Amino acid sequence: MKKSTRTIVSITLLLALSLFSCTKRSRYDELSDRIIVLFQQGQYPEAEKLAKEAVTIAKETFGPNHAKTAASLDTLAMIFCSQRNYEQAEPLYKETLAIMEKVSGPESPDLAHVLENMAGFYRTVGNEEEAERLTARLNKIRSNH
């Protein structure tokens, strides 16, 4: 192979590697995708294990007051609910809401998903009063945006 051809091949490989490294998915993103699949398949113990890892990574990578951290906590709470582990789910939902209120503001439409999940949780555990309070808040946010 000629020197000029080797140079072109080397440059092409370097460009391909740099593009690959730019598009390479993070461990957090890979975990998030895997958790969804496991959850949909009803493999809750494995989903829980990976969701706990995702929470740890999110807190370390993005910080404790970041939307991805909140999303990870929300996912873990949903997994706990699916296993009827309500005592562990409730504080996670509350933490998720607190983070999202800090990140987006208390009247932000970004809170809709969290409020819906929390209202559903409270209905499941028989706290209709709290479910209605959250639903009213959700409806107010939606009507303002």
Side-chain angles (χ1 to χ4, degrees):
M1 191 182 299
K2 289 192 217 176
K3 186 175 181 176
S4 62
T5 305
R6 270 187 275 158
T7 303
I8 292 171
V9 169
S10 296
I11 291 171
T12 304
L13 283 172
L14 284 173
L15 286 171
L17 286 172
S18 68
L19 283 174
F20 175 75
S21 66
C22 290
T23 60
K24 186 177 178 196
R25 300 196 49 177
S26 69
R27 174 73 177 143
Y28 174 83
D29 293 329
E30 290 171 0
L31 279 175
S32 296
D33 291 346
R34 184 74 182 129
I35 292 163
I36 291 166
V37 170
L38 291 169
F39 184 82
Q40 290 172 339
Q41 294 173 343
Q43 296 180 32
Y44 303 128
E46 184 63 22
E48 177 186 330
K49 178 183 164 194
L50 295 182
K52 287 177 179 177
E53 184 179 346
V55 168
T56 300
I57 290 171
K59 286 182 176 181
E60 291 173 355
T61 304
F62 309 112
N65 293 312
H66 191 278
K68 286 189 178 184
T69 301
S72 297
L73 291 165
D74 185 63
T75 299
L76 182 56
M78 289 189 324
I79 293 167
F80 282 139
C81 282
S82 296
Q83 298 176 88
R84 294 184 173 85
N85 190 343
Y86 304 122
E87 288 101 24
Q88 287 189 303
E90 185 174 25
L92 295 175
Y93 279 128
K94 288 179 177 180
E95 186 177 357
T96 299
L97 182 60
I99 292 168
M100 289 306 296
E101 287 173 333
K102 286 178 193 173
V103 169
S104 303
E107 300 300 318
S108 172
D110 294 338
L111 298 177
H113 179 75
V114 178
L115 292 170
E116 283 176 332
N117 286 349
M118 287 182 75
F121 165 78
Y122 283 116
R123 280 192 184 86
T124 299
V125 298
N127 187 342
E128 195 61 39
E129 185 178 318
E130 186 64 14
E132 287 303 317
R133 186 185 72 76
L134 292 168
T135 300
R137 183 176 172 194
L138 173 62
N139 291 336
K140 182 181 176 189
I141 289 171
R142 285 183 172 157
S143 69
N144 291 334
H145 295 280

